[in-house]
């Protein structure tokens, strides 16, 4: 998500770039046993080891690179059953490698925090946290630009009409065509790739 239009009252004055209070779950409290990660210390260590091994294996300045890359690759191929042609160890592959190792060890649930059932949320507030529902900003006649890269916050003044809002977007460097389409759609992604060019947020509506 990237940009969105909210129709708010003309006198709506929530501070710019501050996440709207209705979007923040007040019951969030991280599990003290796993620090909110949902994993045990052993799992965090294992992931770090895998990550470092992988970085080392793909780092051209590491003298042991080829040996390590070969070793890890062979282990991966042997355990995962993936075709031999797979050389690059993507994150998803190290994840499946880990799952396979745990399966072989007969420890399918190893590494998961039992205190929070691997959710990372304090068990005492979990029911309230999950029952909470977000509250949208008040509705009105005005047009306002919001960023939705975070939970959501306003980033422009409130405009009384569609036309003044489009004019404002044009002064912010967007093409009129993109601004008009954006007002019709009501939202725009963070960025889009088209014909080899990167179009940022509202401009991707062109
Ligand atoms: Zn936990």
């Amino acid at each position: 998500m990237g940009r969105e239009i909210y129709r708010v009252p003309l006198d709506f004055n929530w501070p710019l770039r501050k996440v709207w209070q209705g979007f923040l779950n007040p019951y969030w409290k991280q599990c003290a046993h796993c620090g909110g990660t949902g994993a045990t210390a052993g799992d965090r260590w294992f992931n770090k080891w895998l990550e470092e091994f992988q970085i080392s294996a793909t780092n051209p300045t590491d003298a042991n690179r080829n040996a390590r890359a070969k070793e890890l690759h062979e282990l991966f191929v042997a355990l995962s059953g993936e075709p031999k042609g797979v050389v690059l160890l993507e994150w998803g592959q190290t994840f499946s490698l880990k799952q396979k190792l745990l399966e072989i060890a007969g420890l399918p649930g190893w590494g998961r925090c039992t205190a929070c059932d691997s959710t990372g949320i304090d068990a005492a507030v979990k029911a309230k946290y999950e029952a909470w529902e977000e509250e949208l900003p008040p509705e009105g006649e005005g047009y306002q630009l919001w960023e939705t890269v975070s939970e959501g916050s306003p980033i422009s003044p409130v405009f009384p009409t569609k036309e003044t809002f489009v004019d404002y977007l044009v002064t912010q460097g967007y093409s009129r065509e993109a601004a008009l389409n954006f007002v019709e759609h009501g939202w725009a992604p963070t960025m889009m790739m088209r014909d080899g060019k990167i179009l940022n947020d509202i401009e991707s509506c062109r």
Side-chain angles (χ1 to χ4, degrees), residues 53 56-59 62-75 89:
F53 201 100
S56 166
T58 52
N59 183 359
D62 189 325
N64 297 318
R65 175 187 175 235
N66 290 337
R68 286 184 155 207
K70 193 162 177 278
E71 195 183 326
L72 184 55
H73 177 56
E74 278 172 5
L75 180 64
L89 287 152

Side-chain angles (χ1 to χ4, degrees), residues 25-32 36 116 119-126 129:
N25 191 323
Y27 299 111
W28 163 252
K29 191 182 171 200
Q30 70 180 28
C31 170
C116 64
T119 60
I121 301 163
D122 191 309
V125 297
K126 196 166 164 246
Y129 177 83

Side-chain angles (χ1 to χ4, degrees), residues 31-39 113-121:
C31 170
H33 297 270
C34 61
T37 63
C113 176
T114 51
C116 64
D117 195 23
S118 205
T119 60
I121 301 163

